[in-house]
Amino acid sequence: MISNVLARSAMRASTRQIARSDLYHFSNTNGQNVPFNTKNRAGLAIKMVLYLGVGFGAPFLGAWWQL
């Protein structure tokens, strides 16, 4: 009995969320679906190398610090 009531309330909540999801519209064009500018290729390359380099190098820097 209680599980049935909980299941129904969960279904109502999920259908409300689905109905609200069409409030936002994002254009589906190249470069518009990412939160950064892809037009400046040199700037993007520098930022990606720095971001990925810090993420890759952090464990090595931590190990060096502990030695």
Side-chain angles (χ1 to χ4, degrees):
M1 174 77 182
I2 292 175
S3 63
N4 191 12
V5 172
L6 290 174
R8 286 183 184 179
S9 67
M11 287 298 291
R12 274 189 246 121
S14 67
T15 56
R16 284 188 210 131
Q17 186 64 28
I18 291 170
R20 287 189 205 142
S21 67
D22 62 345
L23 294 176
Y24 306 105
H25 175 73
F26 299 104
S27 60
N28 192 16
T29 58
N30 290 337
Q32 298 298 319
N33 55 350
V34 291
F36 46 85
N37 185 11
T38 58
K39 301 291 183 194
N40 184 1
R41 298 185 127 218
L44 179 62
I46 291 170
K47 290 175 189 174
M48 286 182 67
V49 166
L50 285 173
Y51 180 76
L52 296 171
V54 168
F56 181 77
F60 296 103
L61 288 172
W64 173 77
W65 182 264
Q66 293 295 320
L67 290 179

